[in-house]
Amino acid sequence: MNIVFLSTEAVPFAKTGGLADVCGTLPSKVAALGHRATLIMPAFRSIRSAGLPIESTDTSFAIPMSPQKLIGARILKSKLPDGDVPVWFIDQPQYFDRESLYGTSNGDYPDNAERFAFFCRAAMHAISRLEGPIDIVHCNDWQSGLVPAMMAAEPNAYPWIKKASSIFTIHNLAYQGHFDRDSFRWTGLDWKHFNSNQFEYYNHLNFLKTGIVTADMITTVSPKYAEEICGPEQGCGLDGVLRGRHDRLSGIINGIDQTVWNPETDTKLAATYDARFYKQGKLANKREIQQRFGLEPNESLPMIGLVGRLASQKGWDMILPVLQAHLAEDRPAQWVVLGSGEARYEEPLRQLAQAFPKRFALYLGFSDELAHLIEAGSDVFVMPSLYEPCGLNQLYSLRYGTVPIVTETGGLANTVVDCTAETLKNGTATGFFIPAVNAESLDQTIGRALHLRYHEKEKWQQIIETGMSQDFSWRHSADQYIELYAKTIALKNSKEKTIIKRRDESATFR
Ligand code: ADP
């Protein structure tokens, strides 16, 4: 199969979250299984700090963004680090050569509809410059959500569209790319397509909804999240739309890139370790955290780790009071937090770090190196997400022998096995579910976990070792995506055959 991936993020070129981990890895895994894969993404400023060579090409074209506005783009090329997958960057400095991907701490860039409508149209154009027939265009998140609709609305716009099927993967339903009606003009399409079966959503242009209603197949990043988003509680206003396409929706858990996230070979750690000697290895990394942040150099205190966007989704409104209580009451634990995002969470965290410097290590910002060190040096990893499409940090935690404490939602529910009398007995327990989504319940669950760590050491070790032996490699997920691509192509072929047959039958009838 020949598969084109469209994404705005891919490690190591551009990252704000899990989307980058997926799109920086899945194409290589698909290629390793004998398929052709290409990734197309915007040439954001950050691609130049990836440390990989970026070549210029003579391929360029212009997209009419309005009758008076013709915007040019140039293709730059590189490769994903793992394997030989080509990456094509849409270079348009006015839109993409900016400090951040989507906006600043003051909010989203006001021209995001225009920027990403341009990306969608430019990607369609770039695909026509690729070699060979295209089987699958795999779009990811709202920024490429217009592509399936553009393919359906103008099937003759490019020759490759005839054979290609579209897959749309939702990595987070809450980010929809919802803009005023007028933004539709950036698509360059006739206004007849601005209807509820195509681009229109309550008289607005909604990129994500557009992808959902028009893609040949829709996926999300865990089976549980696929179920949850079809209900009103987690549907973010699109549950009705998703229910309408339920037969085309499935969930595939993300893998982890084990060349990057592997405690045996991780160059970002103070000490590497394997499943046999994890105790010594984890201790060395804990010491490194204590030293680097000036925490009390105490090996016996449990280290509670958190890494994640400072956004309400990640449960910070529950975490803050629990952290405050732990520190103020001088409970026997140390905390290490790495986060960046909303300013409203930064200030209280900063104040607590200043007030309790021996117990609380804080880094506000983005640091890949520290994310690895925290996974390795912590005893437990706290992830009380209000919702979690898949989640990667709990998977890293399992791999690094760090016991995850999570809410029973989305991918967290699909990947962590709650510690109960039964799961301890049958040897499947890998972490702890927080039974209710509130601070009290989070506090109690942390207490439950730490109690086991202190008082039932054998059981605690069993949980760690079971977690470390789990296989969340990409191989399994890549196999599932390939199966889905094949199914989507077969569906398209059978649909085409039915149309030809119907045409023949009606010709005979006449
Ligand atoms: P989401 O995609 O919702 O942000 P995931 O758990 O799926 O959450 O993935 C988050 C990814 O981003 C992980 O690889 C995590 O280590 C990383 N990450 C999040 N915040 C930071 C940060 N401040 N510094 C470094 N890495 C971070």
Side-chain angles (χ1 to χ4, degrees), residues 15 17-18 21 307-309 314 338-340 365-367 391-393 396:
K15 171 165 177 170
D21 298 78
V307 177
R309 285 181 292 117
K314 300 294 178 186
L338 164 65
S340 62
F366 202 88
S367 166
L392 288 167
N393 278 312
Y396 301 149

Side-chain angles (χ1 to χ4, degrees), residues 296-315:
E296 181 190 331
N298 183 336
E299 286 177 3
S300 65
L301 280 178
M303 177 85 71
I304 301 172
L306 285 106
V307 177
R309 285 181 292 117
L310 297 178
S312 71
Q313 177 204 339
K314 300 294 178 186

Side-chain angles (χ1 to χ4, degrees), residues 246-488:
H246 195 254
D247 57 331
R248 297 296 176 98
L249 172 67
S250 59
I252 300 176
I253 290 275
N254 293 330
I256 59 174
D257 185 347
Q258 304 210 6
T259 55
V260 178
W261 291 94
N262 180 353
E264 290 177 40
T265 53
D266 193 333
T267 52
K268 299 185 173 86
L269 305 189
T272 53
Y273 55 94
D274 64 15
R276 283 169 309 158
F277 300 111
Y278 67 88
K279 280 187 203 152
Q280 295 92 317
K282 290 187 73 62
L283 216 52
N285 288 296
K286 183 191 283 190
R287 266 188 239 116
E288 172 68 21
I289 297 173
Q290 289 173 336
Q291 222 168 21
R292 209 183 274 193
F293 287 90
L295 297 178
E296 181 190 331
N298 183 336
E299 286 177 3
S300 65
L301 280 178
M303 177 85 71
I304 301 172
L306 285 106
V307 177
R309 285 181 292 117
L310 297 178
S312 71
Q313 177 204 339
K314 300 294 178 186
W316 291 102
D317 294 299
M318 282 182 265
I319 295 162
L320 285 174
V322 174
L323 173 63
Q324 152 92 41
H326 264 246
L327 296 171
E329 292 163 22
D330 202 21
R331 296 199 212 158
Q334 289 180 331
W335 290 68
V336 55
V337 169
L338 164 65
S340 62
E342 293 175 33
R344 67 188 164 122
Y345 296 117
E346 284 186 0
E347 199 39 44
L349 285 169
R350 210 177 274 125
Q351 279 175 14
L352 286 173
Q354 270 162 12
F356 303 97
K358 296 282 167 208
R359 285 291 169 90
F360 178 31
L362 173 69
Y363 184 96
L364 292 173
F366 202 88
S367 166
D368 199 34
E369 191 219 352
L370 193 54
H372 285 247
L373 188 64
I374 292 175
E375 286 292 4
S378 303
D379 295 277
V380 298
F381 191 91
V382 174
M383 207 165 164
S385 306
L386 306 186
Y387 68 92
E388 194 58 74
C390 175
L392 288 167
N393 278 312
Q394 85 281 11
L395 303 181
Y396 301 149
S397 299
L398 291 168
R399 187 95 180 79
Y400 281 64
T402 305
V403 177
I405 297 178
V406 303
T407 32
E408 193 180 358
T409 183
L412 299 174
N414 284 136
T415 56
V416 175
V417 177
D418 187 26
C419 173
T420 62
E422 198 191 332
T423 58
L424 273 175
K425 197 161 159 220
N426 65 23
T428 56
T430 59
F432 292 81
F433 285 163
I434 303 157
V437 185
N438 59 50
E440 197 186 351
S441 187
L442 169 62
D443 198 9
Q444 280 166 1
T445 313
I446 293 174
R448 187 158 80 92
L450 296 186
H451 182 87
L452 204 77
R453 178 185 173 277
Y454 272 117
H455 301 290
E456 305 210 49
K457 288 208 161 57
E458 262 176 40
K459 286 180 183 159
W460 187 251
Q461 282 163 23
Q462 179 201 318
I463 294 173
I464 293 175
E465 283 159 24
T466 310
M468 289 186 88
S469 70
Q470 303 297 301
D471 180 8
F472 287 110
S473 65
W474 264 107
R475 176 63 208 253
H476 188 56
S477 316
D479 281 346
Q480 285 178 276
Y481 275 110
I482 284 165
E483 213 174 283
L484 187 82
Y485 297 155
K487 190 173 146 192
T488 311

Side-chain angles (χ1 to χ4, degrees), residues 181-250:
R181 172 194 167 88
D182 193 39
S183 305
F184 178 74
R185 73 198 147 109
W186 302 122
T187 66
L189 292 172
D190 192 293
W191 276 91
K192 75 177 180 198
H193 298 295
F194 191 70
N195 63 67
S196 63
N197 291 321
Q198 293 176 286
F199 291 82
E200 186 257 349
Y201 179 66
Y202 292 107
N203 207 25
H204 281 67
L205 172 65
N206 184 307
F207 279 53
L208 196 84
K209 184 253 174 174
T210 302
I212 294 169
V213 289
T214 55
D216 293 312
M217 209 60 96
I218 309 146
T219 73
T220 184
V221 287
S222 68
K224 181 98 196 262
Y225 191 60
E227 250 171 59
E228 287 168 350
I229 57 178
C230 289
E233 219 176 279
Q234 304 243 19
C236 301
L238 292 178
D239 45 303
V241 175
L242 284 158
R243 279 197 299 278
R245 303 226 60 206
H246 195 254
D247 57 331
R248 297 296 176 98
L249 172 67
S250 59

